[in-house]
Amino acid sequence: MSTTDQTARAAQDADEQVNGVPTGEDRVAIPGMSQEGETLQEGRNQAGEPEIRHTQHGDISGVPDSSRAGRTTSYDIADFPPLSSKLEDWRFTPIKRLRGLDDAALQGPAPAVSVSGDDAAVQVTSVPREDPRVGSAGIPEDRVSANAWSSFREATVISVPRDAQVAEPVIVTLTGESEEPAAQHIVVDAGSNSKALVVLRHVGTAVLSQNVEFSVADGANLTVVSLQEWTDDSVHASSQQATLGRDATFKHVLVSLGGDLVRVTPSTRFTAPGGDVEMYGLTFVDDGQHLESRLFVDHSVPRCRSRVNYKSALQGENAHGVWVGDVLIRAEAEGTDTYELNRNLILNDGPRMDSVPNLEIETGLIAGAGHASTTGQLDDEHLYYLMSRGIPEDQARRLVVRGFLFEIIQQVGVEALEEQLRASLEAELARTEN
């Protein structure tokens, strides 16, 4: 190689590096990060504080296993400790209000399942727990989910055949009619290169621990809307896990309105490059309600994208909302592009909102990663702008809240349901000065 060629090659190599890390065509590096991700001082966390952990023998070690990847997964409830507010996954949840979902025998009747929509293209069957599709998309990650796994008798499987393009939304209505603790298992199986929109609509009264699996095969495009419209005395814990194949697209929309305690934990895992996931959420928390959303996006393969956008509005005494967003970018997940956002609106005195975004990065060779969280009251400038144009204050407040929440409702994709949800929110707002 001539001197001129060597100089040109050296210049090219310099262009393909960021802080000394080679990028190349498919390897994008973030300035300020090494190939191994965030570099922390040994024995200290991101805040510069010493890291400690308690071992099973009660001693303290300076080498903690704090990674989201290290959480326990098991089908056996005995592998999970009894619930306590000292456990990270349960520190915000009023455990006594679970009404036995964590340790009781879940022998009550599960909500009845009815399906409407394009029945010709979608198959709905009840299968025994030994069916190979059951358990294919996830393993229980907490004690309540494991209790449901050991208790359910039959699973409902909703299958979208390979290459099917389902034109009409598939509405799955789950109607609860009992306060006896119950378990339920649902599987949505989207075949390769298929496309469908599935709505899981929870209504009635229930005390329910539920596992829901979404298996999204290569090239499939699946949209799922999970609506929680329970009566005020209902309790619902739902683990909703999705796995995505190569170039698969998954959109998950969560709307929680009713119930005494509702805790939904959606998670998404990529199994091959090219996957794309969008996760949206809306909760409207009233007097005494506890509505909790804990999500997890696991980037474990290269060149996948994820976007998270959750919003909450809270009003009334002892209204409690919780949002925890965990995103893990593993060392193998080069070229990842991810961002999560949580915004919360406090409408009057009395509510409490806990918002915790967590971003764990094990490689610096990514396209982008970030998170943001805001919690506040109505913006006085927005109200002043509307009132200065002749709109009364009460109407101005409602306009601001509508604009804040309706962005998520528009993601549902079913006009009739969107209209009903807008009407439900209008009724909630009408209960107060908002």
Side-chain angles (χ1 to χ4, degrees):
M1 181 182 296
S2 67
T3 303
T4 301
D5 291 339
Q6 290 176 341
T7 302
R9 180 58 184 270
Q12 181 181 359
D13 291 344
D15 290 339
E16 294 182 351
Q17 293 187 4
V18 176
N19 289 351
V21 179
T23 61
E25 183 178 354
D26 295 322
R27 295 164 62 85
V28 182
I30 300 298
M33 298 183 65
S34 71
Q35 184 170 345
E36 290 74 28
E38 296 175 297
T39 302
L40 307 181
Q41 184 177 346
E42 184 175 358
R44 294 183 178 272
N45 61 22
Q46 295 181 5
E49 301 164 339
E51 290 187 324
I52 61 174
R53 70 177 173 93
H54 296 274
T55 71
Q56 60 181 346
H57 304 295
D59 58 327
I60 297 177
S61 170
V63 187
D65 181 12
S66 59
S67 171
R68 184 62 173 80
R71 301 284 178 88
T72 300
T73 59
S74 175
Y75 298 108
D76 189 351
I77 188 174
D79 291 335
F80 297 94
L83 298 192
S84 164
S85 59
K86 296 181 180 179
L87 298 173
E88 171 59 31
D89 282 354
W90 296 95
R91 64 186 176 112
F92 297 120
T93 309
I95 295 171
K96 292 182 179 179
R97 289 165 61 180
L98 284 170
R99 296 168 66 178
L101 291 180
D102 56 323
D103 55 14
L106 306 181
Q107 298 178 346
V113 179
S114 62
V115 180
S116 61
D118 198 341
D119 297 334
V122 176
Q123 303 170 359
V124 181
T125 55
S126 293
V127 301
R129 55 187 304 128
E130 294 79 18
D131 188 283
R133 292 167 293 184
V134 176
S136 61
I139 304 173
E141 297 180 316
D142 61 55
R143 184 179 178 89
V144 173
S145 176
N147 196 25
W149 174 270
S150 63
S151 301
F152 82 96
R153 301 174 182 85
E154 290 185 329
T156 299
V157 178
I158 303 158
S159 298
V160 184
R162 178 189 182 105
D163 297 323
Q165 304 293 300
V166 183
E168 297 294 325
V170 179
I171 311 296
V172 182
T173 303
L174 303 109
T175 305
E177 297 181 345
S178 172
E179 294 186 24
E180 187 178 354
Q184 187 171 53
H185 201 104
I186 297 172
V187 178
V188 179
D189 185 19
S192 58
N193 300 313
S194 65
K195 183 176 182 179
L197 189 161
V198 177
V199 178
L200 304 177
R201 189 173 191 183
H202 303 86
V203 297
T205 298
V207 177
L208 176 67
S209 180
Q210 179 188 61
N211 287 309
V212 186
E213 301 181 65
F214 307 110
S215 180
V216 190
D218 294 352
N221 185 331
L222 177 65
T223 296
V224 171
V225 181
S226 180
L227 306 180
Q228 285 61 243
E229 301 176 282
W230 299 109
T231 56
D232 292 341
D233 55 349
S234 295
V235 176
H236 183 203
S238 181
S239 170
Q240 303 189 4
Q241 301 195 48
T243 58
L244 273 65
R246 183 178 298 274
D247 298 325
T249 301
F250 180 59
K251 180 178 178 180
H252 186 273
V253 184
L254 171 69
V255 179
S256 293
L257 301 177
D260 174 62
L261 184 155
V262 175
R263 185 181 194 266
V264 185
T265 55
S267 63
T268 302
R269 291 174 172 82
F270 299 95
T271 65
D276 189 293
V277 62
E278 295 181 354
M279 304 178 75
Y280 297 92
L282 184 157
T283 60
F284 196 105
V285 195
D286 257 329
D287 295 346
Q289 276 188 307
H290 178 94
L291 302 184
E292 181 170 347
S293 305
R294 283 180 171 264
L295 62 91
F296 177 40
V297 181
D298 187 356
H299 285 272
S300 57
V301 295
R303 299 184 299 280
C304 291
R305 173 186 176 273
S306 65
R307 291 292 185 271
V308 174
N309 185 5
Y310 269 60
K311 291 186 175 183
S312 294
L314 302 90
Q315 66 180 14
E317 192 67 25
N318 296 321
H320 188 196
V322 176
W323 178 85
V324 179
D326 290 333
V327 176
L328 170 62
I329 304 175
R330 300 178 188 259
E332 304 85 358
E334 299 175 1
T336 289
D337 182 7
T338 181
Y339 192 86
E340 60 173 350
L341 173 65
N342 178 228
R343 298 175 64 195
N344 308 293
L345 192 57
I346 306 296
L347 300 180
N348 53 23
D349 295 332
R352 170 187 168 186
M353 183 71 204
D354 290 294
S355 177
V356 185
N358 297 308
L359 179 58
E360 184 178 357
I361 307 174
E362 296 180 351
T363 176
L365 303 175
I366 58 177
H371 59 68
S373 170
T374 60
T375 300
Q377 297 178 330
L378 290 173
D379 192 320
D380 290 338
E381 291 186 3
H382 289 172
L383 293 176
Y384 176 79
Y385 175 84
L386 294 172
M387 293 169 62
S388 67
R389 279 149 180 79
I391 300 176
E393 182 178 358
D394 59 340
Q395 295 183 27
R397 292 173 65 88
R398 292 189 186 186
L399 284 173
V400 173
V401 177
R402 290 188 195 115
F404 177 74
L405 295 177
F406 285 7
E407 175 192 1
I408 303 300
I409 291 179
Q410 292 172 353
Q411 299 297 329
V412 170
V414 183
E415 182 59 33
L417 281 179
E418 291 180 5
E419 285 292 336
Q420 294 176 23
L421 291 173
R422 283 191 284 265
S424 296
L425 289 176
E426 292 287 357
E428 296 282 0
L429 292 171
R431 295 174 55 183
T432 67
E433 68 275 12
N434 298 300

